[in-house]
Amino acid sequence: MHKDLKHEEAIAKVKDLAKEIKICMFCTDLGEQPFATRPMAVREVDDQGNLWFISSADSQKNLEIKQDEDVQLIFAKPSSSQFLSLFGKAAIYRDREKIEGLWTPIANAWFEEGKNDTNITVLKVSPIEAYYWDTPNGKMVTLLKIAAAALTGKRMDTGEQGEIEI
């Protein structure tokens, strides 16, 4: 089923998928091929639909964002048939309050001085375009629908997909 989402419903879908999937491929330097890609954990999706990450100030990703703020985030959780592709603009901040709010003990693995490390930045990605694929009924129902479609020869309803406009 094709279902485009707007405003609050769109933000809710991005929040749901980002929370469920957690890790995305964070792509920068989109004008070059191959573009730079690395896994990143989403720390928050705020009420405006912006996605927030913790990043090192001297990382290659931050250097690339300073040159070109266009980014592509690709989320995939094949085990539950959930996918999100999001294009947006990234900005780098050193806001201590935001760092405190996003901090998690696992981030200590990347920052020797913990959350007080002066090399910590936060990245805010403001979505411009996004597209999602989701199976709201879950994996088991989807597998049953696939099996039924295979047995009957009828086309199956594979779930929802559509554009997200925030």
Side-chain angles (χ1 to χ4, degrees):
M1 171 173 66
H2 189 89
K3 182 179 180 185
D4 293 340
L5 306 176
K6 295 184 180 199
H7 313 299
E8 290 82 19
E9 192 177 20
I11 292 169
K13 179 58 81 175
V14 170
K15 280 185 178 185
D16 288 347
L17 290 173
K19 181 179 178 183
E20 179 66 26
I21 300 171
K22 296 178 181 77
I23 304 290
C24 70
M25 294 307 293
F26 194 112
C27 309
T28 55
D29 210 9
L30 303 180
E32 298 295 319
Q33 289 186 1
F35 45 83
T37 304
R38 77 282 292 152
M40 294 283 294
V42 175
R43 296 300 312 132
E44 175 187 15
V45 179
D46 66 25
D47 292 338
Q48 290 75 46
N50 300 305
L51 294 90
W52 292 86
F53 302 83
I54 296 174
S55 181
S56 177
D58 60 3
S59 70
Q60 187 64 33
K61 150 185 28 61
N62 280 39
L63 296 173
E64 290 161 356
I65 289 169
K66 286 179 185 178
Q67 297 297 313
D68 181 0
E69 62 189 3
D70 290 345
V71 297
Q72 183 79 39
L73 308 180
I74 302 169
F75 294 82
K77 189 172 183 182
S79 65
S80 58
S81 296
Q82 295 174 303
F83 306 91
L84 174 66
S85 176
L86 187 145
F87 172 77
K89 300 285 184 185
I92 302 168
Y93 297 94
R94 289 188 177 267
D95 181 292
R96 293 305 311 165
E97 188 176 322
K98 194 67 176 175
I99 291 168
E100 289 277 338
L102 298 177
W103 191 258
T104 178
I106 200 160
N108 287 321
W110 288 274
F111 300 97
E112 291 180 19
E113 297 175 37
K115 63 183 165 186
N116 297 318
D117 195 310
T118 58
N119 204 32
I120 299 173
T121 64
V122 291
L123 303 178
K124 173 182 151 184
V125 175
S126 301
I128 294 174
E129 291 183 32
Y131 202 87
Y132 76 99
W133 299 262
D134 193 9
T135 52
N137 297 321
K139 181 180 180 180
M140 195 52 97
V141 171
T142 300
L143 289 174
L144 290 172
K145 286 181 178 182
I146 291 170
L151 291 172
T152 64
K154 294 181 180 178
R155 189 166 187 260
M156 67 166 242
D157 170 21
T158 57
E160 293 179 0
Q161 64 176 313
E163 292 183 39
I164 294 177
E165 184 180 315
I166 296 178

